[in-house]
Amino acid sequence: RTHQGFCEAMTGLIEDLRTFGSHPVFITGAGISVASGIPTFRGSDPDAVWSKDVLEMGTYRFFRQDPVAQWSWYLSRFQSCLDARPNPAHVAVTNLETHCLSKGSLFTVVTQNVDGLHHTAGTKNLIEIHGAARKVRCSSNTCKWGAPGGWLARQDIMFAAFLSKPCIATLPVCPECNSLLRPHVLWFDEAYTDHVNYKVGAAQDAFVNGSVFIFVGTSFSVGITELVLDFIHMRGTPAWLIDPMGRSPSSSVKLLKAPSEIVLPEIARALV
C-alpha cells in the first residue's frame, strides 16, 4: 500500500507539472541539501544548524553585542557550505528549469538556504531569500558595501587570522570604511526588505503568478513559506511537498514522502 501510494503521488506530481507548467515555483529548504552533507537547520539532529540558541545567536543584536562570538558561531556552522557540492536534487531542479525556459515557460526557485548549491548547480531564476554564505557585507549601512545594496565576495575576505586567533583585533573589516564585516544573511531580528539581494519583491511576484508550487525539504517554519501558503489557499494553486520525513502543512499541499535527491531526478527525466 505504501509503494502504491508513493507511485500515485509521483504520478500526480508529474501530471501537475505537465498540466500547470507555465510557471513552476520551487521553494526549497534545508532538506534538499542533506545529501550534500549539510545538516538540517532545525529538528532533533544534534548537528542541526539552528538547533542551539538560534534566536539568541542568529540575530543582529547578538552581532552588535559580541561580534567575536557571533562570527565564531557562524563560521563553525556554515563553513561546510563553502565546501559542499550540489547533489542530484539541485541538478534536477536546474534541468527542469532549462527545460521550462526552452519551451518559453517561466520558472522560479526560491530557496531558504544560504549554502549556494542552487547557484553552483546553475539555476538561473534563483531567489536566495535568506542571503548567501559565499557573500559578506559591511555592517555599516552608510557604506557602499553595506545594506541595502552592497556586498563582497566571501572568497576575497581573509578569515585566516580570525580563525587562528578569534578576537576583536582579528575580526574581518570592510576594505572601504574599516567597519566590521558581517555575514550576508537574514538574521531573525531583520526584515526581508533590508537588502535588495533577498529579492523579496521578485519572490512575491512569483507567488502571485506561479502556476504550481513544489516545496522541497522545508519545515514551513519561516515567514516566506507562510506567505506562499496564503497565496495557495487564496488561489487554489496546485502545490506539493517533497520530503522523506515531512508532513503537509495543510490539505492544499499534497505530499510526496521521499528523499528529494531520489525523486527529483526521476521527475526531471519524466518531463525533460
Side-chain angles (χ1 to χ4, degrees):
R1 184 182 299 175
T2 301
H3 179 70
Q4 181 181 352
F6 167 80
C7 291
E8 289 174 354
M10 187 82 158
T11 300
L13 196 160
I14 290 169
E15 283 305 309
D16 275 357
L17 280 169
R18 279 203 182 104
T19 306
F20 305 102
S22 62
H23 187 179
V25 179
F26 279 71
I27 301 99
T28 67
I32 197 172
S33 296
V34 169
S36 293
I38 298 177
T40 56
F41 281 60
R42 301 175 187 273
S44 57
D45 182 347
D47 293 326
V49 175
W50 295 119
S51 63
K52 300 169 186 146
D53 303 321
V54 57
L55 295 179
E56 173 65 19
M57 306 288 274
T59 62
Y60 184 54
R61 182 192 64 77
F62 187 73
F63 175 81
R64 294 197 313 269
Q65 173 186 315
D66 193 344
V68 173
Q70 218 285 343
W71 263 117
S72 295
W73 172 79
Y74 178 84
L75 291 172
S76 71
R77 294 292 175 177
F78 290 95
Q79 188 66 30
S80 61
C81 294
L82 303 179
D83 301 322
R85 302 299 302 167
N87 66 60
H90 300 102
V91 175
V93 170
T94 300
N95 291 341
L96 285 166
E97 178 190 51
T98 301
H99 175 65
C100 283
L101 297 181
S102 72
K103 297 192 308 174
S105 299
L106 299 174
F107 193 96
T108 304
V109 176
V110 181
T111 186
Q112 303 162 46
N113 303 335
V114 302
D115 55 39
L117 294 181
H118 284 296
H119 170 82
T120 304
T123 298
K124 294 181 175 64
N125 295 333
L126 174 64
I127 297 172
E128 294 176 305
I129 198 79
H130 291 154
R134 67 183 182 277
K135 299 176 181 179
V136 294
R137 71 176 189 253
C138 183
S139 59
S140 172
N141 291 351
T142 61
C143 178
K144 69 177 183 178
W145 300 124
W151 59 273
L152 295 158
R154 164 72 189 276
Q155 63 264 31
D156 294 335
I157 308 302
M158 299 304 292
F159 282 86
F162 180 76
L163 289 168
S164 175
K165 186 180 179 182
C167 64
I168 288 289
T170 58
L171 279 168
V173 296
C174 176
E176 178 74 16
C177 70
N178 219 42
S179 297
L180 293 180
L181 289 176
R182 55 159 286 173
H184 183 61
V185 297
L186 178 70
W187 280 323
F188 285 94
D189 54 352
E190 296 181 311
Y192 286 113
T193 54
D194 284 353
H195 202 283
V196 296
N197 276 178
Y198 301 151
K199 298 182 182 177
V200 66
Q204 289 174 320
D205 287 343
F207 301 157
V208 170
N209 298 310
S211 58
V212 57
F213 293 92
I214 312 296
F215 297 92
V216 185
T218 178
S219 59
F220 296 91
S221 53
V222 295
I224 205 71
T225 50
E226 293 179 11
L227 182 62
V228 185
L229 290 174
D230 287 342
F231 281 109
I232 290 169
H233 293 151
M234 282 190 297
R235 296 174 54 224
T237 313
W240 288 83
L241 167 64
I242 299 173
D243 194 305
M245 307 295 292
R247 290 189 305 172
S248 176
S250 79
S251 58
S252 303
V253 180
K254 290 170 275 190
L255 176 63
L256 176 56
K257 202 164 188 175
S260 58
E261 68 273 15
I262 301 297
V263 297
L264 277 173
E266 290 293 326
I267 291 166
R269 280 191 284 271
L271 294 168
V272 173

